[in-house]
Amino acid sequence: MKSKYAILTSVIFTLLSAPLWGQVSNDESKRERGYMQVPELVFKDSLFLQRIDSLVFNSICFNLHKLDKGNFEVCYVDSEEPWLRFDLYPEFEFRGGTITGYFEYKNFSFVWYGVIPDSLCEVSDRKREFSYWKGEKGDSVISVYLGYVEGSIKSMGMDCIDRDMKRSFYGED
């Protein structure tokens, strides 16, 4: 007799909570996708990508070279000692500001915000459309800080997250 009441109670609870499940999915569907045209960057410094490969992809952070996709946001800080910051996200996350251009390397997109050193690259006429979710952005998976002065790049440090967190972020087993 108790099992009949338990089954009846769970059926009633399921029927009453169904409208709430619909609201959750409707809230998600209200998120809007944004689109923007971003010009491609063409490098003058042919060794830049090799340096990125050794300082970013072969870093000590959770075997980054084993990932097969992602999007880096690149920001150049022009100060007394100029530096670059690379933040990795699983998909393009427009954070506002001025996007100067993008480049592709190893199935990763690098979206550059702000000023680009003249000696490094130039902006081409070719463009690519990037889509993104409007609203809040998630946390980056990795942040790499590189000193950059006229072709010279050196590591200034990095922030790596926990390997288990990376797996859940990318949905890996």
Side-chain angles (χ1 to χ4, degrees), residues 107-167:
N107 294 328
F108 287 78
S109 296
F110 291 76
V111 179
W112 198 293
Y113 286 83
V115 178
I116 300 174
D118 291 334
S119 61
L120 184 59
C121 62
E122 57 189 30
V123 179
S124 79
D125 292 333
R126 290 187 300 202
K127 293 185 177 187
R128 175 180 155 200
E129 183 172 82
F130 281 86
S131 65
Y132 63 94
W133 288 108
K134 293 181 179 179
E136 294 184 29
K137 73 180 226 172
D139 295 329
S140 65
V141 177
I142 179 177
S143 293
V144 180
Y145 305 91
L146 304 174
Y148 179 80
V149 179
E150 297 292 324
S152 172
I153 297 177
K154 65 179 180 178
S155 178
M156 294 177 62
M158 56 188 65
D159 293 330
C160 304
I161 63 160
D162 181 77
R163 184 165 180 76
D164 292 331
M165 186 181 216
K166 190 273 306 177
R167 284 185 182 142

